[in-house]
Amino acid sequence: MFTNMDNNELDKYAQNIIDGMQLSDDDLRKMLLINDSMELEKLHYVARKVRDHYFGNKVFLYSFVYFSTHCKNRCAFCYYNTMNKINRYRLELEDIRNICKQLKGEQIHMVDLTMGEDPYFYEEPSRFAKVIDIVKEELNLPIMVSPGVLDDKTLEMLRGHGANFLALYQETYDEELYKNLRVGQSFSDRIHAREFAQKIGYCVEDGLLTGVGNDVESTIISLKGMAKDNPQMVRVMTFIPQEGTPLEKKVQESNLSELKIISVLRLMFPNRLIPASLDVEGIEGMVYRLNAGANVVTSIIPSDSSLEGVANYDRKHEERKRDPKSVVEKLRTMGMEPAAQSDFNRILGVVA
Ligand code: SAM
Ligand code: MD0
Ligand code: SF4
């Protein structure tokens, strides 16, 4: 696809994407089948050209607060699967207030409030609204909620408390694969929740897992599935096998396909938010993901915090290094820097 293109032709290809060129299934297939490292680098180059056209060297940073690891679901890929005999926690409101105090003044653009589908909050959603109120009161930053599949009424209520962004990942649009991943969970309800959220003013994030049994054709189905609702943010994460879960024995794939899919996402969603999650390969991995065309850093957690990530590559590490300062330091070595809050608020449509 790109092998015989020189820099001028690669720049032209990037300009065609910026001018609105859409990728065909065959384009996607050719890109996903790229194996040659030189050609892969050219794909990443084109993705960076497109990303830089919209965002320059500016990056958005989200702080990650996993406030409850209780969950009633049995996702085959997830450590917090209800069948897994693990220690779980549910933060008290005071804990959340203290975390916000720790985050005050840090260079973050949004707080991602994540939980398992915890019955404590599902039975009484006003408890979740209280969490949002505290974060708004303490930090007055945009808020992403990553709560699982909430009903319309609850989504409306949380929007009323100031939630700006809904993160709800389909993992795959290949319904056969979906059944084996999100065991017992409705495929269409998950799609409906994002569509309803967009209708009532949320920005939404959709996402894919890779290395979880998705071949090229399955990945194409998922890429096109995500494009249908034109989410404000799209992601891909490499599946990390988790102890005590049905997919525990699955061998973790290299990050190659994640990086390739990030670049393809950039060419499909030129002006959208695409994250480099620290949860898979930390700050070193962030560099590759940004160089593949990502423009957001997520799963940022203060160093001395005992909060969980999700895939948590560093669960067994002595010291976790994914705090805001370390991220910004690394960005600067790449000639990149945090964007202005006003730039992020404009994307959200939030009046400053
Ligand atoms: N309970 C909420 C939900 O399921 O939407 C939020 C929890 S967390 C944000 C869920 C996401 O983390 C999943 O949708 C999946 O994309 C990602 N994830 C979970 N376990 C993972 C793993 N072992 N490896 C990579 N990504 C994982
Ligand atoms: C991340 N651990 O960005 C977080 C999580 C949920 N909205 C995000 C998967 O990797
Ligand atoms: Fe629960 Fe979410 Fe993990 Fe599934 S991915 S088990 S819903 S926390």
Side-chain angles (χ1 to χ4, degrees), residues 208-259:
L208 308 179
L209 275 181
T210 191
V212 76
N214 54 306
D215 61 14
V216 168
E217 294 314 311
S218 163
T219 306
I220 291 173
I221 292 169
S222 293
L223 289 168
K224 292 170 67 182
M226 282 210 295
K228 257 195 228 104
D229 288 336
N230 204 14
Q232 283 76 13
M233 183 167 173
V234 283
R235 77 158 60 203
V236 56
M237 278 172 82
T238 303
F239 162 63
I240 299 186
Q242 302 292 321
E243 245 173 276
T245 64
L247 294 182
E248 171 181 28
K249 297 272 178 283
K250 198 155 177 20
V251 176
Q252 178 175 338
E253 281 197 359
S254 84
N255 68 18
L256 205 61
S257 99
E258 179 182 332
L259 299 179

Side-chain angles (χ1 to χ4, degrees), residues 62 64 66 112-114 144-147 166-169 205 233 235 237 275-280 297-301 308-312 322:
Y62 301 175
F64 185 67
Y66 209 151
D112 176 353
L113 296 173
T114 286
M144 168 181 270
V145 290
S146 311
L166 173 72
L168 192 66
Y169 313 145
E205 180 188 10
M233 183 167 173
R235 77 158 60 203
M237 278 172 82
S277 162
L278 298 178
D279 219 15
V280 185
V297 181
T298 65
S299 214
I300 295 173
I301 299 175
E308 293 274 7
V310 167
N312 263 328
R322 43 163 142 176

Side-chain angles (χ1 to χ4, degrees), residues 88-127:
R88 297 174 191 263
Y89 65 77
R90 184 182 295 124
L91 296 185
E92 299 294 333
L93 294 180
E94 268 330 288
D95 301 330
I96 291 172
R97 195 178 294 281
N98 293 335
I99 290 166
C100 291
K101 289 187 183 339
Q102 249 190 318
L103 289 171
K104 247 187 194 98
E106 292 289 4
Q107 289 186 286
I108 50 172
H109 298 89
M110 180 156 71
V111 179
D112 176 353
L113 296 173
T114 286
M115 65 173 184
E117 292 204 3
D118 181 352
Y120 175 79
F121 290 101
Y122 270 64
E123 280 150 20
E124 190 40 77
S126 63
R127 292 169 175 158

Side-chain angles (χ1 to χ4, degrees), residues 173-193:
Y173 281 78
D174 171 346
E175 293 199 46
E176 272 320 296
L177 181 56
Y178 181 90
K179 278 196 211 113
N180 300 328
L181 297 179
R182 285 200 159 270
V183 177
Q185 296 165 54
S186 158
F187 181 81
S188 55
D189 288 359
R190 211 167 173 81
I191 293 177
H192 168 79

